[in-house]
Amino acid sequence: MSSNYSQPIGIFDSGIGGLTVAHAVTRLLPDESIIYFGDTAHAPWGDKSSAAIQAYSIKICDMLLKQGCKLILIARNSASLVAYVLVKEYVGRKSIVVDVIDPMIEYLAKNYIDKTIGLIGTKQTINSNIYRKKLDELGINIRLNTLSTPLLVPLIEEGFKDQTIMSDAIQSYLNESSLHNLDALVLGCTHYPLIKPQIKQFYSDATVIIDSTDIVAQVVRNILKERKLLAASSTSPKKKFYVSDYTPAFSALAHLFFKMPIILEKYPLWE
């Protein structure tokens, strides 16, 4: 791979959820340029087939490779689940590929042996049982209690994150007995850091809330450092945001995160 340190980091998701990952990466690595792609035309991916998500992911990776990305981060659990292996094969040695599930597994294996962990996520992520399978492969003894929380993403995307309807949904889900008496709760969807304060409030600091975005950003930093690909502090970082279809909600949320005017460039995956 002939990457150099000044090349950008590519980050993609079906829409706005991956902005939480992009924000964590830029907070930890302020000198890095990023190119973010939100596939808003096909969002949400949670109810799409594996074949469709794989096709979208390959198309997006094509675009990010053309932009010279030194690392491509799949900022979505469902895409990490069904497209990571294919994307790695497709990208080959042209770029480094990182997903959002494996860094979490490594973190849990290092810090939570013999503990009870809760995991909330979309139906696709929870039904796949991917976290349990990966922990079992490592032979790690962690009691994992999972719950599908399908209402949370649409409520966030529709702008209800600070309203009573969201509080009611969170309370209803977290009151499930399987999510009581936990050592930690994993936010298994990149949208969920946006409602982390409400989730923390529910547990009153009795349970650690594990935000995968910070852990993934740390893994990205470690990989780039190891390969001597960290951007120099003299680099003038650029942030570019592409969407496959323009949505005002995406623009507003991107602006909220990055505290700067966000210019969205439309890049349809298929004409």
Side-chain angles (χ1 to χ4, degrees):
M1 191 173 79
S2 58
S3 298
N4 70 61
Y5 67 82
S6 64
Q7 288 174 269
I9 295 170
I11 302 171
F12 76 88
D13 181 25
S14 63
I16 62 176
L19 287 170
T20 60
V21 184
H23 186 240
V25 168
T26 55
R27 205 170 52 227
L28 187 65
L29 299 167
D31 298 319
E32 298 290 345
S33 293
I34 64 159
I35 295 173
Y36 184 90
F37 190 97
D39 186 17
T40 44
H42 302 111
W45 280 5
D47 57 1
K48 299 290 191 292
S49 69
S50 297
I53 293 170
Q54 288 170 343
Y56 304 151
S57 298
I58 293 299
K59 271 283 192 185
I60 294 165
C61 286
D62 254 346
M63 177 263 197
L64 294 174
L65 288 172
K66 282 174 188 161
Q67 303 264 356
C69 291
K70 62 187 175 186
L71 182 145
I72 294 174
L73 174 52
I74 306 172
R76 185 173 183 86
N77 277 265
S78 57
S80 295
L81 171 66
V82 302
Y84 176 60
V85 173
L86 183 67
V87 163
K88 269 195 90 164
E89 281 177 12
Y90 182 78
V91 168
R93 295 177 57 80
K94 296 175 201 156
S95 184
I96 303 160
V97 181
V98 178
D99 72 332
V100 292
I101 294 176
D102 288 325
M104 275 304 308
I105 297 298
E106 287 167 27
Y107 181 82
L108 292 176
K110 193 174 173 185
N111 297 285
Y112 285 94
I113 291 174
D114 297 330
K115 303 286 189 187
T116 301
I117 304 296
L119 170 71
I120 55 173
T122 62
K123 280 182 182 174
Q124 191 171 30
T125 299
I126 299 302
N127 292 345
S128 73
N129 216 16
I130 187 68
Y131 282 80
R132 176 77 276 156
K133 287 172 189 165
K134 284 182 176 280
L135 288 169
D136 286 348
E137 280 168 17
L138 294 175
I140 300 296
N141 180 37
I142 291 175
R143 291 176 292 282
L144 187 67
N145 298 341
T146 63
L147 184 71
S148 168
T149 51
L151 283 178
L152 299 183
V153 168
L155 285 173
I156 291 167
E157 295 210 336
E158 291 300 324
F160 291 114
K161 79 179 182 70
D162 296 316
Q163 297 186 27
T164 311
I165 189 172
M166 176 60 86
S167 303
D168 290 347
I170 290 169
Q171 296 255 357
S172 176
Y173 285 134
L174 301 185
N175 270 320
E176 287 284 331
S177 58
S178 62
L179 297 183
H180 292 177
N181 304 313
L182 301 172
D183 292 296
L185 177 74
V186 175
L187 306 183
C189 172
T190 53
H191 281 70
Y192 294 176
L194 294 166
I195 51 171
K196 186 177 171 184
Q198 294 98 306
I199 293 171
K200 279 188 85 164
Q201 189 178 11
F202 176 88
Y203 284 105
S204 307
D205 295 327
T207 296
V208 177
I209 309 302
I210 303 176
D211 181 346
S212 62
T213 60
D214 293 331
I215 291 157
V216 170
Q218 190 65 57
V219 165
V220 168
R221 183 185 181 278
N222 293 347
I223 289 170
L224 293 179
K225 187 178 180 183
E226 192 181 291
R227 308 218 186 170
K228 296 183 170 49
L229 289 173
L230 279 174
S233 54
S234 58
T235 312
S236 299
K238 297 180 177 66
K239 295 177 181 64
K240 288 176 131 185
F241 296 85
Y242 292 91
V243 287
S244 49
D245 189 28
Y246 179 77
T247 65
F250 186 98
S251 184
L253 201 63
H255 179 70
L256 186 71
F257 272 138
F258 291 95
K259 306 289 189 286
M260 58 181 247
I262 299 296
I263 298 165
L264 294 182
E265 293 187 45
K266 191 173 172 184
Y267 187 100
L269 292 185
W270 284 274
E271 291 291 354

